[in-house]
Amino acid sequence: LRHSYLQALPDAPPGNWGNDTLPDVPPVIAKTDEQAFAQLTTRVGRGDRGARCDLATCYRTGSGVTQSDAEAARLLEFAASRG
């Protein structure tokens, strides 16, 4: 897999996966880019701001989704507007 956030190590310390603001949401652990994209989409729906940036990266690189610079920019602009 191309992105380190798509792979989790069993002994990774808490907070390594952009989950500092939502402790009840499990880390992204996926075997495929498509699974990671689906998990990130769920996390975005739950308000995880870090996941929104990771989802934008998926769109920018075409990992698990059809590549779209426009959607990546939209997600990043939204995340930036929220702080």
Side-chain angles (χ1 to χ4, degrees):
L1 298 172
R2 290 169 269 177
H3 303 290
S4 61
Y5 64 83
L6 301 180
Q7 301 172 355
L9 301 174
D11 58 346
N16 250 16
W17 308 102
N19 192 22
D20 297 332
T21 58
L22 298 171
D24 60 327
V25 178
V28 174
I29 301 173
K31 294 183 180 187
T32 67
D33 289 344
E34 291 77 12
Q35 288 176 347
F37 178 81
Q39 290 179 27
L40 288 168
T41 300
T42 298
R43 293 171 68 99
V44 167
R46 293 180 180 170
D48 186 335
R49 292 178 301 206
R52 188 175 306 276
C53 293
D54 292 340
L55 196 63
T57 299
C58 289
Y59 274 105
R60 185 179 57 78
T61 61
S63 298
V65 66
T66 301
Q67 195 275 337
S68 172
D69 288 335
E71 184 62 13
R74 186 190 73 75
L75 287 165
L76 289 173
E77 287 172 4
F78 183 84
S81 73
R82 299 291 189 252

